[in-house]
Amino acid sequence: MDWHEASEAFETHLRTVRRLSPATTRAYRSDLRDLIEVALLTGVRTPAEADLELLREWQGQASERGDARATLARRTAAIRSFFAWTLEMGIVTQDPSLRLVAPKRGRTLPTVATAPAVAEMLDGLDSLAEGGDPLPLRDRAMLELLYGAGVRVSELCGLDVGDLDLDRGTARVLGKGSKERVVPFGAPARRAIGAYLTRGRPELFVERSGDGAASGGGPETRGSGSALFLGSRGGRISPRAVYAVVSHRLAPALGVEHVGPHALRHSAATHLLDGGADLRTVQEILGHASLGTTQIYTHVSSERLRAAYRLAHPRA
């Protein structure tokens, strides 16, 4: 079996057996295509001919072009997964990736907005939304939910109207690995979403003849008719559009040129810890599979650490 046949079969395996998300499948496919390009240039025509030298050459080229350590680690994991599968399927007789060393991931602190900066941004949107324009109404609801519930941008874009329980202040989101969880949000988000549903969404909604006809695209398995947040042309809003909204609204408050929706998720986690929430609770709200992923916020939450020190240390 040549590289392209193996690649297509592996992608099918990722989608149908492992049931990875479309985004993760695309990342694996991209990493594998990059390896195939290096392999063919060096005369390695099939996965069975691949050896550790080829993999180190591929890894070295990525390092030379400046790929981040986190990217290199992810790419190495993808290739290890591919060769483990080829060995299981009998496509190769030995796994050359077993001795491939992945670089340690660097830990960078996320961008975090202060609570006053977020409040100032959201309060500024309140005055714009009072005019009844559907886009400020939508933007305020989206930002309140991104910050109030700490959801990922993909989870926000995938929300349907029926996923919300405004009485209880909860949203049912579909996270990584198609794992569903229910997240709480507060009264400000509830008011903003209610105003958007009443006065904003009806003006943005355009009846579509088929699912997936959304402006700018959207989650592949959910139609635009029931989408909670809509784009300016009436279809389910895209992650790119949400990025643009967040950057436009939040970047000036942070004094930076660009910032994405994840900054609000990071800020929500940090402010929860500052307010006394325990790490396990924050992990559950964010939908992290590992507590280690959530622990990065303990490094960001310096104010909480200083407060605990002042209360507990006899020489504080």
Side-chain angles (χ1 to χ4, degrees):
M1 184 179 288
D2 65 23
W3 283 108
H4 295 293
E5 291 171 336
S7 174
E8 290 177 4
F10 179 58
E11 186 177 342
T12 301
H13 168 75
L14 295 177
R15 286 197 317 266
T16 60
V17 178
R18 294 184 57 182
R19 302 183 67 83
L20 297 184
S21 70
T24 303
T25 302
R26 284 195 297 271
Y28 275 47
R29 180 175 61 212
S30 175
D31 295 335
L32 188 51
R33 283 179 177 174
D34 191 54
L35 173 63
I36 292 171
E37 184 176 335
V38 174
L40 294 178
L41 285 174
T42 55
V44 179
R45 299 296 172 185
T46 68
E49 298 173 30
D51 56 16
L52 183 60
E53 184 180 351
L54 166 68
L55 300 186
R56 284 176 174 167
E57 171 66 21
W58 165 76
Q59 199 178 58
Q61 288 187 19
S63 181
E64 286 176 4
R65 67 172 176 251
D67 285 8
R69 282 189 295 173
T71 302
L72 292 172
R74 188 212 69 215
R75 287 160 55 87
T76 302
I79 296 308
R80 282 176 173 168
S81 180
F82 169 72
F83 277 106
W85 173 80
T86 57
L87 183 64
E88 181 182 343
M89 299 300 295
I91 298 171
V92 301
T93 57
Q94 59 182 2
D95 184 348
S97 70
L98 290 177
R99 293 168 54 203
L100 185 66
V101 178
K104 292 184 177 180
R105 291 175 181 266
R107 173 157 285 190
T108 56
L109 296 181
T111 301
V112 173
T114 64
V118 176
E120 181 181 352
M121 174 198 65
L122 295 173
D123 290 344
L125 270 172
D126 278 345
S127 58
L128 290 174
E130 285 174 1
D133 188 316
L135 292 181
L137 283 166
R138 181 205 65 189
D139 293 353
R140 182 181 63 168
M142 288 196 310
L143 293 169
E144 286 280 9
L145 195 55
L146 283 168
Y147 176 62
V151 295
R152 301 178 177 94
V153 64
S154 59
E155 295 168 349
L156 180 91
C157 294
L159 280 171
D160 286 342
V161 175
D163 293 329
L164 295 181
D165 187 333
L166 289 181
D167 292 333
R168 295 185 177 182
T170 60
R172 186 177 67 251
V173 300
L174 196 64
K176 288 185 176 181
S178 298
K179 293 179 180 177
E180 189 177 276
R181 71 185 191 282
V182 175
V183 293
F185 53 85
R190 194 158 56 237
R191 289 192 297 269
I193 294 168
Y196 163 69
L197 288 174
T198 303
R199 297 184 285 135
R201 189 178 182 278
E203 290 193 40
L204 291 173
F205 181 74
V206 175
E207 191 69 46
R208 300 272 165 166
S209 59
D211 288 350
S215 166
E220 297 171 19
T221 59
R222 310 185 76 170
S224 62
S226 58
L228 174 60
F229 293 113
L230 305 176
S232 58
R233 291 187 290 175
R236 185 183 294 275
I237 198 165
S238 68
R240 181 176 296 180
V242 179
Y243 267 87
V245 169
V246 173
S247 189
H248 175 65
R249 303 295 185 189
L250 185 59
L254 296 180
V256 297
E257 189 174 351
H258 300 291
V259 67
H262 235 60
L264 287 172
R265 178 171 161 88
H266 295 322
S267 302
T270 304
H271 299 164
L272 280 167
L273 290 171
D274 284 343
D278 65 87
L279 207 57
R280 288 285 182 188
T281 299
V282 177
Q283 177 192 9
E284 188 172 345
I285 290 172
L286 297 182
H288 286 158
S290 167
L291 189 63
T293 307
T294 316
Q295 283 176 333
I296 189 172
Y297 298 108
T298 61
H299 299 284
V300 182
S301 189
S302 58
E303 183 56 37
R304 176 172 176 264
L305 293 176
R306 284 197 296 268
Y309 174 80
R310 288 194 296 266
L311 287 171
H313 201 287
R315 302 290 285 182

